Amino acid sequence: MTPSVFLAALCLGIASAAPKLDQTLDVQWNQWKSTYKKVYAANEEGLTRAVWEKNMKMIERHNQEHSQGKHGFTMAMNAFGDKTNEEFRQLMNGFQSQKHKKGKLFHFHEPVFGHIPTSVNWTQRGYVTPVKDQGSCHSCWAFSATGALEGQMFRKTGKLVSLSEQNLVDCSRPESNNGCSGGLMDKAFQYVKNNGGLDSEESYPYTAKESRNCLYKPEFSAANNTGFVNIPPQEKALMNAVASVGPISVAVDASLKSFRFYKSGIYFDPACRLAVNHGVLVVGYGFEGTDPDKNKYWLVKNSWGKSWGADGYIKIAKDRNNHCGIARAASYPTV
Ligand SMILES: *[C@@H]1O[C@H](CO)[C@@H](O)[C@H](O)[C@H]1NC(C)=O
Ligand SMILES: *[C@@H]1O[C@H](CO)[C@@H](O)[C@H](O)[C@H]1NC(C)=O
């Protein structure tokens, strides 16, 4: 490379590091940084701000369209505002769908009662712990699994005890989970069965980092399961299970920006795919308005903290062709 070519390349690099910024957003940018305690090196702030501005404008455009009746949900800036799509995907999607075994649908019984209610909310009935935050570890699968097991333990014992995701992250490698690189809820249930217990959150707190040392202590075990049940991949079957069993582990496609910045209303994005990548917990279902056959949703607990979505929850469109693949990998532990 001749010196002049080298210089040109270097100058381009500098030019792209100083993108044009919209100064009318200065106040909001500074507020956002302090809200989410973000600190950037001087040489990376410009590029990061440009990504944030792009997200901010996309959100504003979406909400304007929402006010014109074009969308059924709103979006809002949140902690993920400085991430490009690619960075976000790398950060968040921990459900290893390629490993989710198909055809292992056993022991699922239709509920014994004939009447399925038009709405269910297990959070209201004490089955669900407060929203948790997985941080930057691909451990969604562990949060989905503890959520389902917390619910089944409550059903059995009448006591709601928060369970340890870290226990699953650190210890379920023999069941072929991958710690902070992803895993499956069913493998987590398998671990609890093989291990003969799962520690409480309090005794084995979450660090958002994986340790190769398993620190499980049987004396702090707060849950057990005898195995798990995979639900047939249809929304009707999922509805029956939610109504008759309790909170259910599911996986969805959470890779779209519309999902990342969801705030309120019923989430529906035609671009959402059936290829699932994120483990979450269905804690109920229902409908908005007065007609139980319209505006139906799944009530879903996420693990991205309380400041994400509707206090950590999202309503996903129900009975609209298995939106975001919600019924594709549903299961629950048997206790
Ligand atoms: C579900 O119940 C919780 C707890 O009572 C409540 O805060 C929430 O608004 C309910 N969600 C829906 C969609 O009814
Ligand atoms: C879980 O099951 C094992 C084996 O049956 C038992 O030793 C243990 O006490 C149980 N733990 C809890 C919390 O129920």
Side-chain angles (χ1 to χ4, degrees), residues 33-64:
K33 277 194 299 179
S34 84
T35 300
Y36 297 105
K37 302 187 172 56
K38 304 271 187 178
V39 180
Y40 305 104
N43 66 348
E44 65 172 17
E45 176 146 357
L47 274 181
T48 308
R49 161 98 179 241
V51 169
W52 176 90
E53 274 188 15
K54 211 173 150 209
N55 287 328
M56 194 74 191
K57 288 181 174 168
M58 181 269 306
I59 291 165
E60 277 168 6
R61 199 164 51 243
H62 173 94
N63 288 343
Q64 196 154 20

mmCIF file of all heavy atoms in Angstrom, residues 33-64:
data_model
loop_
_atom_site.group_PDB
_atom_site.id
_atom_site.type_symbol
_atom_site.label_atom_id
_atom_site.label_comp_id
_atom_site.label_asym_id
_atom_site.label_seq_id
_atom_site.Cartn_x
_atom_site.Cartn_y
_atom_site.Cartn_z
ATOM 1 N N LYS A 33 -28.673 8.484 28.347
ATOM 2 C CA LYS A 33 -27.389 7.965 28.862
ATOM 3 C C LYS A 33 -27.394 7.896 30.382
ATOM 4 O O LYS A 33 -26.897 6.942 30.970
ATOM 5 C CB LYS A 33 -26.223 8.869 28.394
ATOM 6 C CG LYS A 33 -25.746 8.557 26.995
ATOM 7 C CD LYS A 33 -24.403 9.225 26.705
ATOM 8 C CE LYS A 33 -24.522 10.745 26.815
ATOM 9 N NZ LYS A 33 -23.235 11.424 26.557
ATOM 10 N N SER A 34 -27.957 8.935 31.026
ATOM 11 C CA SER A 34 -27.914 8.898 32.486
ATOM 12 C C SER A 34 -28.931 7.896 33.044
ATOM 13 O O SER A 34 -28.648 7.197 34.015
ATOM 14 C CB SER A 34 -28.055 10.305 33.080
ATOM 15 O OG SER A 34 -29.400 10.661 33.183
ATOM 16 N N THR A 35 -30.095 7.759 32.384
ATOM 17 C CA THR A 35 -31.078 6.762 32.840
ATOM 18 C C THR A 35 -30.482 5.351 32.834
ATOM 19 O O THR A 35 -30.663 4.587 33.770
ATOM 20 C CB THR A 35 -32.320 6.772 31.919
ATOM 21 O OG1 THR A 35 -32.899 8.076 31.973
ATOM 22 C CG2 THR A 35 -33.356 5.747 32.358
ATOM 23 N N TYR A 36 -29.790 5.024 31.756
ATOM 24 C CA TYR A 36 -29.273 3.653 31.623
ATOM 25 C C TYR A 36 -27.788 3.543 31.969
ATOM 26 O O TYR A 36 -27.162 2.530 31.688
ATOM 27 C CB TYR A 36 -29.577 3.112 30.217
ATOM 28 C CG TYR A 36 -31.068 3.011 29.982
ATOM 29 C CD1 TYR A 36 -31.732 3.928 29.178
ATOM 30 C CD2 TYR A 36 -31.819 2.027 30.630
ATOM 31 C CE1 TYR A 36 -33.101 3.857 29.004
ATOM 32 C CE2 TYR A 36 -33.191 1.951 30.453
ATOM 33 C CZ TYR A 36 -33.826 2.869 29.646
ATOM 34 O OH TYR A 36 -35.180 2.801 29.480
ATOM 35 N N LYS A 37 -27.260 4.614 32.598
ATOM 36 C CA LYS A 37 -25.878 4.602 33.083
ATOM 37 C C LYS A 37 -24.891 4.177 31.998
ATOM 38 O O LYS A 37 -24.053 3.303 32.183
ATOM 39 C CB LYS A 37 -25.747 3.700 34.311
ATOM 40 C CG LYS A 37 -26.669 4.140 35.431
ATOM 41 C CD LYS A 37 -26.431 3.367 36.718
ATOM 42 C CE LYS A 37 -27.232 3.965 37.866
ATOM 43 N NZ LYS A 37 -28.697 4.056 37.596
ATOM 44 N N LYS A 38 -25.043 4.798 30.828
ATOM 45 C CA LYS A 38 -24.159 4.473 29.707
ATOM 46 C C LYS A 38 -23.005 5.461 29.661
ATOM 47 O O LYS A 38 -23.209 6.668 29.789
ATOM 48 C CB LYS A 38 -24.936 4.570 28.392
ATOM 49 C CG LYS A 38 -26.175 3.696 28.332
ATOM 50 C CD LYS A 38 -25.865 2.323 27.801
ATOM 51 C CE LYS A 38 -27.153 1.529 27.591
ATOM 52 N NZ LYS A 38 -26.933 0.201 27.036
ATOM 53 N N VAL A 39 -21.825 4.920 29.501
ATOM 54 C CA VAL A 39 -20.632 5.761 29.388
ATOM 55 C C VAL A 39 -19.864 5.295 28.148
ATOM 56 O O VAL A 39 -19.661 4.090 27.970
ATOM 57 C CB VAL A 39 -19.735 5.611 30.643
ATOM 58 C CG1 VAL A 39 -18.500 6.486 30.517
ATOM 59 C CG2 VAL A 39 -20.511 5.966 31.905
ATOM 60 N N TYR A 40 -19.514 6.243 27.292
ATOM 61 C CA TYR A 40 -18.787 5.881 26.074
ATOM 62 C C TYR A 40 -17.468 6.623 26.005
ATOM 63 O O TYR A 40 -17.375 7.770 26.461
ATOM 64 C CB TYR A 40 -19.617 6.224 24.832
ATOM 65 C CG TYR A 40 -20.989 5.600 24.835
ATOM 66 C CD1 TYR A 40 -22.109 6.360 25.129
ATOM 67 C CD2 TYR A 40 -21.151 4.244 24.574
ATOM 68 C CE1 TYR A 40 -23.379 5.783 25.146
ATOM 69 C CE2 TYR A 40 -22.402 3.663 24.597
ATOM 70 C CZ TYR A 40 -23.514 4.437 24.885
ATOM 71 O OH TYR A 40 -24.749 3.870 24.912
ATOM 72 N N ALA A 41 -16.493 5.987 25.406
ATOM 73 C CA ALA A 41 -15.238 6.680 25.121
ATOM 74 C C ALA A 41 -15.522 7.755 24.080
ATOM 75 O O ALA A 41 -16.422 7.601 23.247
ATOM 76 C CB ALA A 41 -14.212 5.684 24.583
ATOM 77 N N ALA A 42 -14.765 8.845 24.146
ATOM 78 C CA ALA A 42 -15.004 9.976 23.242
ATOM 79 C C ALA A 42 -15.025 9.520 21.787
ATOM 80 O O ALA A 42 -15.853 9.969 20.999
ATOM 81 C CB ALA A 42 -13.931 11.043 23.455
ATOM 82 N N ASN A 43 -14.174 8.584 21.423
ATOM 83 C CA ASN A 43 -14.093 8.185 20.012
ATOM 84 C C ASN A 43 -15.190 7.217 19.586
ATOM 85 O O ASN A 43 -15.326 6.900 18.424
ATOM 86 C CB ASN A 43 -12.702 7.619 19.701
ATOM 87 C CG ASN A 43 -12.432 6.318 20.449
ATOM 88 O OD1 ASN A 43 -13.183 5.951 21.354
ATOM 89 N ND2 ASN A 43 -11.381 5.626 20.069
ATOM 90 N N GLU A 44 -15.997 6.723 20.512
ATOM 91 C CA GLU A 44 -17.092 5.825 20.110
ATOM 92 C C GLU A 44 -18.460 6.476 20.302
ATOM 93 O O GLU A 44 -19.466 5.976 19.816
ATOM 94 C CB GLU A 44 -17.022 4.483 20.857
ATOM 95 C CG GLU A 44 -17.227 4.623 22.343
ATOM 96 C CD GLU A 44 -17.353 3.292 23.099
ATOM 97 O OE1 GLU A 44 -16.975 2.243 22.552
ATOM 98 O OE2 GLU A 44 -17.817 3.334 24.252
ATOM 99 N N GLU A 45 -18.512 7.603 20.976
ATOM 100 C CA GLU A 45 -19.807 8.201 21.285
ATOM 101 C C GLU A 45 -20.580 8.626 20.035
ATOM 102 O O GLU A 45 -21.783 8.412 19.948
ATOM 103 C CB GLU A 45 -19.654 9.380 22.260
ATOM 104 C CG GLU A 45 -20.983 10.072 22.496
ATOM 105 C CD GLU A 45 -21.172 10.621 23.898
ATOM 106 O OE1 GLU A 45 -20.275 10.422 24.749
ATOM 107 O OE2 GLU A 45 -22.216 11.230 24.135
ATOM 108 N N GLY A 46 -19.859 9.200 19.050
ATOM 109 C CA GLY A 46 -20.535 9.678 17.844
ATOM 110 C C GLY A 46 -21.244 8.562 17.106
ATOM 111 O O GLY A 46 -22.426 8.668 16.770
ATOM 112 N N LEU A 47 -20.555 7.445 16.881
ATOM 113 C CA LEU A 47 -21.143 6.325 16.156
ATOM 114 C C LEU A 47 -22.311 5.723 16.931
ATOM 115 O O LEU A 47 -23.338 5.370 16.356
ATOM 116 C CB LEU A 47 -20.083 5.237 15.934
ATOM 117 C CG LEU A 47 -19.209 5.395 14.694
ATOM 118 C CD1 LEU A 47 -18.227 4.236 14.605
ATOM 119 C CD2 LEU A 47 -20.093 5.435 13.444
ATOM 120 N N THR A 48 -22.138 5.628 18.254
ATOM 121 C CA THR A 48 -23.198 5.059 19.085
ATOM 122 C C THR A 48 -24.432 5.947 19.047
ATOM 123 O O THR A 48 -25.558 5.475 18.932
ATOM 124 C CB THR A 48 -22.692 4.912 20.535
ATOM 125 O OG1 THR A 48 -21.456 4.208 20.498
ATOM 126 C CG2 THR A 48 -23.674 4.148 21.378
ATOM 127 N N ARG A 49 -24.183 7.250 19.139
ATOM 128 C CA ARG A 49 -25.299 8.201 19.089
ATOM 129 C C ARG A 49 -26.041 8.085 17.761
ATOM 130 O O ARG A 49 -27.273 8.171 17.712
ATOM 131 C CB ARG A 49 -24.759 9.616 19.291
ATOM 132 C CG ARG A 49 -25.668 10.726 18.830
ATOM 133 C CD ARG A 49 -26.483 11.344 19.938
ATOM 134 N NE ARG A 49 -27.305 12.417 19.429
ATOM 135 C CZ ARG A 49 -27.222 13.693 19.811
ATOM 136 N NH1 ARG A 49 -26.337 14.033 20.739
ATOM 137 N NH2 ARG A 49 -28.018 14.599 19.310
ATOM 138 N N ALA A 50 -25.310 7.866 16.687
ATOM 139 C CA ALA A 50 -25.944 7.736 15.370
ATOM 140 C C ALA A 50 -26.873 6.516 15.340
ATOM 141 O O ALA A 50 -27.987 6.584 14.806
ATOM 142 C CB ALA A 50 -24.881 7.639 14.283
ATOM 143 N N VAL A 51 -26.436 5.418 15.938
ATOM 144 C CA VAL A 51 -27.279 4.215 16.010
ATOM 145 C C VAL A 51 -28.528 4.519 16.838
ATOM 146 O O VAL A 51 -29.667 4.191 16.454
ATOM 147 C CB VAL A 51 -26.487 3.046 16.657
ATOM 148 C CG1 VAL A 51 -27.403 1.882 16.995
ATOM 149 C CG2 VAL A 51 -25.348 2.603 15.738
ATOM 150 N N TRP A 52 -28.317 5.161 17.987
ATOM 151 C CA TRP A 52 -29.425 5.515 18.882
ATOM 152 C C TRP A 52 -30.436 6.428 18.181
ATOM 153 O O TRP A 52 -31.642 6.235 18.288
ATOM 154 C CB TRP A 52 -28.835 6.190 20.125
ATOM 155 C CG TRP A 52 -29.826 6.714 21.116
ATOM 156 C CD1 TRP A 52 -30.360 6.029 22.170
ATOM 157 C CD2 TRP A 52 -30.382 8.031 21.176
ATOM 158 N NE1 TRP A 52 -31.215 6.841 22.875
ATOM 159 C CE2 TRP A 52 -31.249 8.084 22.283
ATOM 160 C CE3 TRP A 52 -30.217 9.184 20.392
ATOM 161 C CZ2 TRP A 52 -31.955 9.232 22.634
ATOM 162 C CZ3 TRP A 52 -30.931 10.335 20.738
ATOM 163 C CH2 TRP A 52 -31.782 10.341 21.850
ATOM 164 N N GLU A 53 -29.921 7.418 17.444
ATOM 165 C CA GLU A 53 -30.807 8.353 16.739
ATOM 166 C C GLU A 53 -31.664 7.636 15.705
ATOM 167 O O GLU A 53 -32.847 7.927 15.550
ATOM 168 C CB GLU A 53 -29.985 9.441 16.021
ATOM 169 C CG GLU A 53 -29.657 10.589 16.924
ATOM 170 C CD GLU A 53 -29.018 11.766 16.181
ATOM 171 O OE1 GLU A 53 -29.076 11.828 14.928
ATOM 172 O OE2 GLU A 53 -28.454 12.628 16.874
ATOM 173 N N LYS A 54 -31.049 6.690 15.025
ATOM 174 C CA LYS A 54 -31.775 5.928 14.014
ATOM 175 C C LYS A 54 -32.924 5.154 14.686
ATOM 176 O O LYS A 54 -34.055 5.142 14.203
ATOM 177 C CB LYS A 54 -30.805 4.963 13.327
ATOM 178 C CG LYS A 54 -31.132 4.687 11.896
ATOM 179 C CD LYS A 54 -30.037 3.865 11.233
ATOM 180 C CE LYS A 54 -30.660 3.009 10.149
ATOM 181 N NZ LYS A 54 -29.919 1.772 9.923
ATOM 182 N N ASN A 55 -32.609 4.527 15.821
ATOM 183 C CA ASN A 55 -33.637 3.795 16.558
ATOM 184 C C ASN A 55 -34.723 4.744 17.062
ATOM 185 O O ASN A 55 -35.914 4.450 16.972
ATOM 186 C CB ASN A 55 -33.008 3.037 17.729
ATOM 187 C CG ASN A 55 -32.213 1.830 17.255
ATOM 188 O OD1 ASN A 55 -32.556 1.205 16.249
ATOM 189 N ND2 ASN A 55 -31.149 1.497 17.974
ATOM 190 N N MET A 56 -34.300 5.878 17.600
ATOM 191 C CA MET A 56 -35.222 6.874 18.135
ATOM 192 C C MET A 56 -36.212 7.326 17.052
ATOM 193 O O MET A 56 -37.416 7.401 17.299
ATOM 194 C CB MET A 56 -34.367 8.056 18.607
ATOM 195 C CG MET A 56 -35.068 9.036 19.475
ATOM 196 S SD MET A 56 -35.301 8.329 21.113
ATOM 197 C CE MET A 56 -36.409 9.562 21.753
ATOM 198 N N LYS A 57 -35.686 7.596 15.870
ATOM 199 C CA LYS A 57 -36.542 8.100 14.786
ATOM 200 C C LYS A 57 -37.489 7.014 14.276
ATOM 201 O O LYS A 57 -38.632 7.290 13.934
ATOM 202 C CB LYS A 57 -35.686 8.683 13.662
ATOM 203 C CG LYS A 57 -35.093 10.002 14.146
ATOM 204 C CD LYS A 57 -34.231 10.731 13.168
ATOM 205 C CE LYS A 57 -33.877 12.077 13.811
ATOM 206 N NZ LYS A 57 -32.831 12.806 13.116
ATOM 207 N N MET A 58 -36.976 5.790 14.249
ATOM 208 C CA MET A 58 -37.822 4.667 13.833
ATOM 209 C C MET A 58 -38.979 4.505 14.822
ATOM 210 O O MET A 58 -40.128 4.283 14.429
ATOM 211 C CB MET A 58 -36.937 3.409 13.770
ATOM 212 C CG MET A 58 -37.600 2.138 13.338
ATOM 213 S SD MET A 58 -38.254 1.163 14.696
ATOM 214 C CE MET A 58 -36.835 0.977 15.741
ATOM 215 N N ILE A 59 -38.691 4.641 16.120
ATOM 216 C CA ILE A 59 -39.723 4.508 17.163
ATOM 217 C C ILE A 59 -40.761 5.626 17.023
ATOM 218 O O ILE A 59 -41.970 5.382 17.064
ATOM 219 C CB ILE A 59 -39.066 4.527 18.560
ATOM 220 C CG1 ILE A 59 -38.248 3.256 18.773
ATOM 221 C CG2 ILE A 59 -40.114 4.701 19.657
ATOM 222 C CD1 ILE A 59 -37.276 3.321 19.951
ATOM 223 N N GLU A 60 -40.273 6.854 16.820
ATOM 224 C CA GLU A 60 -41.200 7.986 16.667
ATOM 225 C C GLU A 60 -42.103 7.799 15.459
ATOM 226 O O GLU A 60 -43.313 8.039 15.524
ATOM 227 C CB GLU A 60 -40.411 9.295 16.536
ATOM 228 C CG GLU A 60 -39.995 9.848 17.889
ATOM 229 C CD GLU A 60 -38.972 10.976 17.794
ATOM 230 O OE1 GLU A 60 -38.661 11.419 16.656
ATOM 231 O OE2 GLU A 60 -38.473 11.390 18.861
ATOM 232 N N ARG A 61 -41.504 7.326 14.363
ATOM 233 C CA ARG A 61 -42.285 7.091 13.151
ATOM 234 C C ARG A 61 -43.356 6.024 13.402
ATOM 235 O O ARG A 61 -44.518 6.174 13.045
ATOM 236 C CB ARG A 61 -41.341 6.642 12.017
ATOM 237 C CG ARG A 61 -41.899 6.788 10.628
ATOM 238 C CD ARG A 61 -40.805 6.695 9.569
ATOM 239 N NE ARG A 61 -39.956 5.528 9.729
ATOM 240 C CZ ARG A 61 -38.646 5.581 9.993
ATOM 241 N NH1 ARG A 61 -38.027 6.739 10.116
ATOM 242 N NH2 ARG A 61 -37.939 4.475 10.138
ATOM 243 N N HIS A 62 -42.949 4.951 14.069
ATOM 244 C CA HIS A 62 -43.894 3.867 14.372
ATOM 245 C C HIS A 62 -45.060 4.381 15.216
ATOM 246 O O HIS A 62 -46.220 4.078 14.944
ATOM 247 C CB HIS A 62 -43.187 2.728 15.109
ATOM 248 C CG HIS A 62 -44.125 1.661 15.598
ATOM 249 N ND1 HIS A 62 -44.411 0.530 14.875
ATOM 250 C CD2 HIS A 62 -44.873 1.586 16.734
ATOM 251 C CE1 HIS A 62 -45.295 -0.208 15.541
ATOM 252 N NE2 HIS A 62 -45.595 0.414 16.670
ATOM 253 N N ASN A 63 -44.740 5.179 16.246
ATOM 254 C CA ASN A 63 -45.798 5.655 17.148
ATOM 255 C C ASN A 63 -46.729 6.639 16.455
ATOM 256 O O ASN A 63 -47.918 6.685 16.759
ATOM 257 C CB ASN A 63 -45.181 6.258 18.416
ATOM 258 C CG ASN A 63 -44.600 5.171 19.314
ATOM 259 O OD1 ASN A 63 -44.935 3.990 19.154
ATOM 260 N ND2 ASN A 63 -43.747 5.558 20.243
ATOM 261 N N GLN A 64 -46.179 7.398 15.525
ATOM 262 C CA GLN A 64 -47.022 8.290 14.739
ATOM 263 C C GLN A 64 -48.001 7.463 13.890
ATOM 264 O O GLN A 64 -49.187 7.744 13.832
ATOM 265 C CB GLN A 64 -46.150 9.145 13.836
ATOM 266 C CG GLN A 64 -46.880 10.342 13.287
ATOM 267 C CD GLN A 64 -45.891 11.465 12.961
ATOM 268 O OE1 GLN A 64 -44.689 11.203 12.805
ATOM 269 N NE2 GLN A 64 -46.363 12.674 12.875
#
